[in-house]
Amino acid sequence: MSRKYNFSAGPAMIPLEVLEQARDELVDWNDSGMSVMEMSHRGKDYLSIAAEAEADLRDVMSIPDNYKVLFMQGGASSQFSAIPMNLLRGKDSADYINTGAWSKKAIAEAAKFCDVNVVATGEDSNFMSIPDQASWDLNPEAAYVHYTPNETIAGVEFHDIPDTGDVPLVADMSSTILSRPIDVSKFALIYAGAQKNIGPAGLTIVIVRDDLIGDVIKGTPAMMDYAIQSKADSMYNTPPTYSWYLAGLVFKWLKGKGGLDGMAEINKRKSDKLYAAIDDSDFYKNPIALNCRSWMNIPFTLGNSDLDGDFIAQAAEKGLVTLKGHRSVGGMRASIYNAMPEEGVDALIEFMAEFEKKYG
Ligand SMILES: *Cc1c(COP(=O)(O)O)cnc(C)c1O
């Protein structure tokens, strides 16, 4: 077996220990005589798997008791519409911070349901920096404020939680959840597609303060109604059972790594060394403002973009794959989520130095 260092932005690497445990349990889970994939989601075995995953996530993130944790489907993209449907609660406008590609998608979807006020935008800097919160024009009457803590495509990340006073704060944490400890009580709602830092695609985690649910707009599908999903313990219909199980294994793996404090230390070290390698060279460049560089997604360009193809091909020969940047940005992007081992980052840095020596 040879595992590659996969720098994909998503679906992304899953910890090897987790994959091995899943392999060992694949055809017969815990002497049940069946695979988790084959279990009824209403059966005792599966209910124990589901409950344990939720308990471990609550533990890892220190989620307060007055928050519901929902295991939903449809990806983060479905939440772009579920959020206004659930959180407008009789109001007709919401504030959005536009820091790039994913913010824009959330804004476009919300605009189908309410007046969207874009209260701050990074457009002037071509989304390479985040406007200072002092300049945001927040509306105290807004139903909520939505932002994207980590913009996966450009690699722009908030390193502080915005203060929105009494207005509920909503965060698309798809590409940064579980990368470090956060104070969940500062948020009204946190959501994330699983395929970056949680587990396989098909599962979407929603963490929502319980006083905010139960007043949806007319026409909201049952599948998107947080109150209905919450009442059904996220089993209004058949949930993505296997993804939920695998996410549970990842939560246990995180606990073994020292929880989110332990992860944060490793993630900071991984990203610091990759940025240092880029900044210390005259050949590689990362254009993002220093105070908002992402720990998880690190785009970089080569001194000569004609060499992009050679870089990608030669990196692949060393087992360093999926480094091609997003089509809208070009260059390279190294996504280094929790499951990317530090050795993978070291191998990339070593390869970058060799490549620069040859062509720089
Ligand atoms: C990947 C991503 C999404 C889209 O997630 P899906 O689960 O594919 O819908 C949304 N927001 C951010 C920040 C992402 O990184």
Side-chain angles (χ1 to χ4, degrees):
M1 183 191 71
S2 109
R3 295 265 303 163
K4 301 198 183 229
Y5 293 121
N6 176 8
F7 294 89
S8 169
M13 289 184 82
I14 289 177
L16 180 59
E17 298 93 314
V18 166
L19 294 175
E20 286 174 341
Q21 183 178 348
R23 176 198 60 200
D24 293 346
E25 296 175 346
L26 183 69
V27 299
D28 180 9
W29 181 83
N30 203 20
D31 292 329
S32 65
M34 60 182 83
S35 172
V36 175
M37 277 182 248
E38 302 169 306
M39 287 177 184
S40 163
H41 58 294
R42 311 266 179 221
K44 180 170 76 45
D45 281 342
Y46 190 77
L47 289 175
S48 76
I49 290 170
E52 195 163 327
E54 178 178 339
D56 283 333
L57 179 62
R58 285 185 172 277
D59 189 16
V60 164
M61 290 184 73
S62 307
I63 299 173
D65 289 344
N66 62 323
Y67 285 73
K68 300 287 186 195
V69 177
L70 306 178
F71 290 77
M72 297 181 70
Q73 306 184 50
S77 302
S78 294
Q79 295 305 315
F80 294 163
S81 23
I83 285 160
M85 287 193 276
N86 283 272
L87 296 191
L88 281 169
R89 307 173 83 238
K91 297 202 170 188
D92 56 12
S93 85
D95 284 354
Y96 276 70
I97 315 301
N98 181 8
T99 51
W102 288 114
S103 304
K104 283 189 210 169
K105 287 205 159 172
I107 288 166
E109 200 61 24
K112 297 176 181 171
F113 301 95
C114 64
D115 291 330
V116 170
N117 293 320
V118 178
V119 294
T121 171
E123 209 143 10
D124 290 350
S125 72
N126 201 16
F127 299 108
M128 290 181 197
S129 65
I130 293 171
D132 189 341
Q133 210 201 317
S135 71
W136 299 5
D137 198 11
L138 292 170
N139 170 13
E141 294 305 317
Y144 59 88
V145 180
H146 178 282
Y147 82 118
T148 310
N150 185 62
E151 283 283 358
T152 320
I153 291 175
V156 171
E157 182 157 25
F158 286 76
H159 293 289
D160 296 296
I161 300 170
D163 179 4
T164 57
D166 291 334
V167 181
L169 179 62
V170 176
D172 174 1
M173 289 204 187
S174 295
S175 53
T176 188
I177 193 167
L178 303 173
S179 66
R180 75 203 73 187
I182 49 151
D183 180 353
V184 173
S185 73
K186 294 215 154 82
F187 297 87
L189 186 149
I190 291 167
Y191 66 105
Q195 65 276 16
K196 282 122 188 190
N197 234 357
I198 297 173
L203 170 70
T204 312
I205 299 283
V206 176
I207 302 166
V208 55
R209 215 173 66 210
D210 59 10
D211 61 294
L212 295 170
I213 66 180
D215 182 9
V216 292
I217 64 173
K218 206 167 155 245
T220 300
M223 285 292 290
M224 290 194 161
D225 184 326
Y226 298 146
I228 290 176
Q229 288 287 4
S230 167
K231 195 152 167 275
D233 292 326
S234 306
M235 296 193 192
Y236 175 77
N237 74 332
T238 315
T241 50
Y242 199 76
S243 296
W244 189 334
Y245 150 78
L246 221 83
L249 299 187
V250 171
F251 303 149
K252 284 247 188 296
W253 174 83
L254 281 169
K255 288 170 107 171
K257 289 274 172 191
L260 299 189
D261 286 311
M263 262 354 283
E265 198 180 305
I266 300 168
N267 285 329
K268 175 143 195 338
R269 201 164 61 225
K270 277 156 53 181
S271 61
D272 276 352
K273 62 168 101 166
L274 184 49
Y275 283 117
I278 293 167
D279 292 343
D280 292 347
S281 94
D282 297 324
F283 186 69
Y284 302 107
K285 258 197 191 58
N286 168 283
I288 306 302
L290 294 182
N291 67 351
C292 55
R293 284 174 154 186
S294 171
W295 287 11
M296 297 281 107
N297 311 97
I298 305 187
F300 59 92
T301 52
L302 313 188
N304 173 1
S305 62
D306 291 344
L307 293 169
D308 285 2
D310 294 309
F311 184 94
I312 287 162
Q314 293 177 31
E317 279 169 26
K318 305 248 171 194
L320 308 166
V321 299
T322 336
L323 280 161
K324 192 169 165 32
H326 191 269
R327 59 192 179 276
S328 65
V329 176
M332 308 299 146
R333 173 177 50 172
S335 294
I336 52 172
Y337 301 115
N338 288 348
M340 169 60 69
E342 191 161 357
E343 298 78 48
V345 176
D346 292 338
L348 173 62
I349 292 170
E350 193 184 317
F351 168 73
M352 287 167 71
E354 278 167 22
F355 190 87
E356 180 178 0
K357 218 157 147 198
K358 224 184 312 174
Y359 299 99

